[in-house]
Amino acid sequence: MPSLYDHAGGHDVLRRFIDIFYSSVLADPVLQPLFGGGRPEHVDHLTAFDAESFGGPKDFSETMGGFAHLIDAHRGLKIAEPQRLRFVELYLRAADLAGLPDDDAFREALRSHVEFGSHVAMQNSHAETDDQLHPLREVPLWSWPDQAARP
């Protein structure tokens, strides 16, 4: 069975997907306060994170600061549940707009990935001490819905 990364179409397809997603986030009044005016490197970082999580290259961990950078980026943001839900909604909408595969298994993996990740980010955004952080400390390797290799 191919990795989610390969099934999605690889780096260029994921990059287009994340670019569409990030543009929608920056234009959204619910999420824009979390992202400010945006950072150009965010598209590259999120693309690399998703690629690695889906079984592709490990560039996020090896050259972009890894999960520690992600924890630092979310700390203090105080993400609210409506913002988390909107993030998930726009992420899944971008998958449609980017033409990611729409088979049920892939879309379930994509949905569970963003749901899990958004909960981790929300918890970390409220943590005032390291003990309050989510215990995840590395990029999770995501898998197909019927496989057990999820966090």
Side-chain angles (χ1 to χ4, degrees):
M1 181 167 250
S3 67
L4 294 171
Y5 174 80
D6 289 332
H7 187 75
H11 182 272
D12 291 343
V13 172
L14 287 177
R15 176 80 161 79
R16 184 174 69 246
F17 159 54
I18 296 302
D19 194 38
I20 291 168
F21 168 67
Y22 194 60
S23 293
S24 70
V25 163
L26 293 179
D28 187 83
V30 173
L31 294 175
Q32 199 280 330
L34 296 175
F35 291 85
R39 293 186 317 247
E41 71 277 5
H42 198 209
V43 171
D44 291 334
H45 283 204
L46 187 52
T47 300
F49 176 82
D50 278 1
E52 185 171 333
S53 188
F54 294 159
K58 297 182 186 297
D59 294 339
F60 185 78
S61 291
E62 293 175 357
T63 66
M64 297 180 173
F67 208 79
H69 169 75
L70 201 55
I71 290 171
D72 290 343
H74 290 107
R75 267 206 144 139
L77 290 178
K78 307 280 190 220
I79 298 168
E81 180 65 5
Q83 292 170 314
R84 188 197 72 75
L85 290 171
R86 185 69 174 151
F87 185 93
V88 170
E89 177 187 347
L90 293 180
Y91 187 88
L92 297 173
R93 182 182 301 159
D96 291 335
L97 294 172
L100 289 186
D102 63 358
D103 56 280
D104 290 343
F106 180 77
R107 288 305 177 103
E108 172 53 31
L110 196 65
R111 176 181 301 282
S112 64
H113 168 74
V114 70
E115 285 284 350
F116 177 80
S118 65
H119 279 286
V120 171
M122 190 167 81
Q123 180 176 339
N124 290 345
S125 79
H126 289 272
E128 294 179 7
T129 67
D130 287 352
D131 290 342
Q132 294 172 339
L133 291 169
H134 189 279
L136 187 65
R137 293 295 187 273
E138 60 187 33
V139 175
L141 180 58
W142 220 252
S143 63
W144 293 96
D146 59 350
Q147 295 178 351
R150 287 190 194 169

